[in-house]
Amino acid sequence: MSVSQSIAGGATRRATLAGIGFTLLGIFLFVCNDALGKWLLGTYSVWQMLVIRSIAALVLLSPFLWREGRAAFLTAPRPGLQIIRFGLGAAESSLFFIAVVYLPLADAMAFYLAAPIYVTALSALLLKENVGWRRWTSVIAGFIGVIITLNPSAATLTWPALIAILGSFCYALLMIATRYLRGTSDIVMASGQVAMTMLVALPGAALSWARPPLMEGLLLMLLGVVAVTALICINRSLKLAPASVVAPFQYTMIVWGALLGYLVFGDIPKLNVVIGSIIIVGAGLFIFWREQVRARESVVAPPPAE
């Protein structure tokens, strides 16, 4: 293998590790966003929350939108798929928050944490990514860890549960589309998704608007800041690493949930949470290690100079 191929292999390895890091950060921010969102949904409708969150996110993105200019949107690859992706993002956000109005946050997360299995299967079918048996085993092990940790309720066929399952499938398709469109600007991806969510939520918000006091209004806007930052992290991760590699690290969502519950609310994790979290982290670390091994195996030292 040539020197250039060795350098390319090292660059691919670094990109994959960076993608995993962005996924971990994005998932942590999404957990914070989901917990705050569920608390606010005790007072405000899903649609009002999504509109205020989207407006705050677009304000945050506005300097970057100005810098990118209209040309970035007009020249984005595969415009039809871009619009479908924006719609998937709006559907996923709406379905999740509708579900958590009626379901415990942990149960809704349990349904969403099935998304990596969908992503792994769809990555092989749609993106032609090589998904070996080791990665499949790690994904399944991580999902078993989620079940042990959350011990979701048996009421899995209620309509809120079906909404959460549909939302998780939309999220998996969103990740696949993001990976496929990885040549698109981060700002175009994030702002288009946020704008579509706002447009979908506007009619419902107009019918259910309640004027929030200052502090709660600021918290609603904070949702937008946190959500768009998390979204950019996830989008960036899918540009840097294969979807089937970064998807299993979403299992850390429950680990962060347990940790934040202990630090903020003083909730002591139960034994099943500890055991399940160990399995989840172990599955993610195994994939992390396998990617390092595969990258090293693909890089062969160049022959010595004659």
Side-chain angles (χ1 to χ4, degrees):
M1 185 177 291
S2 66
V3 175
S4 61
Q5 289 174 315
S6 299
I7 294 173
T12 299
R13 177 188 174 191
R14 289 191 295 272
T16 299
L17 297 182
I20 291 172
F22 275 114
T23 298
L24 292 173
L25 176 58
I27 292 301
F28 170 72
L29 294 174
F30 271 129
V31 170
C32 297
N33 180 79
D34 293 344
L36 178 58
K38 181 172 176 60
W39 181 74
L40 290 168
L41 286 174
T43 305
Y44 305 99
S45 72
V46 171
W47 312 116
Q48 179 176 350
M49 186 204 71
L50 288 175
V51 166
I52 296 177
R53 188 181 82 156
S54 298
I55 291 173
L58 289 173
V59 169
L60 179 66
L61 290 170
S62 58
F64 305 99
L65 288 169
W66 180 266
R67 185 184 65 185
E68 293 276 334
R70 186 172 56 179
F73 290 86
L74 297 177
T75 60
R78 300 183 67 89
L81 185 56
Q82 297 280 359
I83 294 173
I84 291 173
R85 183 188 168 277
F86 297 156
L88 287 169
E92 177 271 321
S93 296
S94 303
L95 291 168
F96 176 80
F97 284 112
I98 291 172
V100 298
V101 171
Y102 303 98
L103 291 175
L105 184 61
D107 281 29
M109 284 185 175
F111 291 118
Y112 264 68
L113 287 173
I117 292 181
Y118 308 149
V119 170
T120 300
L122 292 172
S123 294
L125 294 173
L126 300 179
L127 299 181
K128 309 302 181 184
E129 292 181 358
N130 182 25
V131 181
W133 67 269
R134 292 181 180 87
R135 199 179 298 171
W136 273 111
T137 302
S138 297
V139 169
I140 294 171
F143 185 70
I144 292 172
V146 170
I147 298 301
I148 293 173
T149 301
L150 296 178
N151 189 25
S153 66
T156 56
L157 296 180
T158 61
W159 68 266
L162 293 175
I163 287 175
I165 292 171
L166 179 59
S168 70
F169 191 69
C170 288
Y171 182 61
L173 291 174
L174 175 65
M175 292 188 69
I176 295 294
T178 301
R179 177 65 178 169
Y180 194 85
L181 297 168
R182 56 188 177 274
T184 307
S185 161
D186 286 341
I187 300 303
V188 170
M189 281 190 162
S191 60
Q193 188 173 333
V194 170
M196 181 67 79
T197 301
M198 183 179 67
L199 291 175
V200 169
L202 270 173
L207 296 173
S208 59
W209 193 269
R211 182 178 179 181
L214 177 61
M215 183 55 66
E216 292 184 2
L218 291 174
L219 290 176
L220 285 165
M221 288 188 287
L222 179 62
L223 283 174
V225 175
V226 175
V228 77
T229 304
L231 183 61
I232 290 174
C233 287
I234 297 298
N235 289 346
R236 172 57 60 176
S237 75
L238 290 166
K239 289 185 176 185
L240 294 170
S244 55
V245 172
V246 300
F249 287 87
Q250 293 179 59
Y251 288 135
T252 57
M253 181 184 295
I254 190 58
V255 179
W256 288 122
L259 182 61
L260 289 176
Y262 174 73
L263 293 176
V264 178
F265 304 108
D267 297 331
I268 299 177
K270 297 178 181 178
L271 180 60
N272 66 300
V273 175
V274 175
I275 294 173
S277 297
I278 291 172
I279 295 173
I280 294 166
V281 173
L285 290 177
F286 178 79
I287 293 176
F288 184 83
W289 172 76
R290 276 296 303 168
E291 284 306 303
Q292 290 182 310
V293 171
R294 290 181 64 199
R296 285 197 296 267
E297 289 174 348
S298 66
V299 178
V300 178
E306 295 182 357

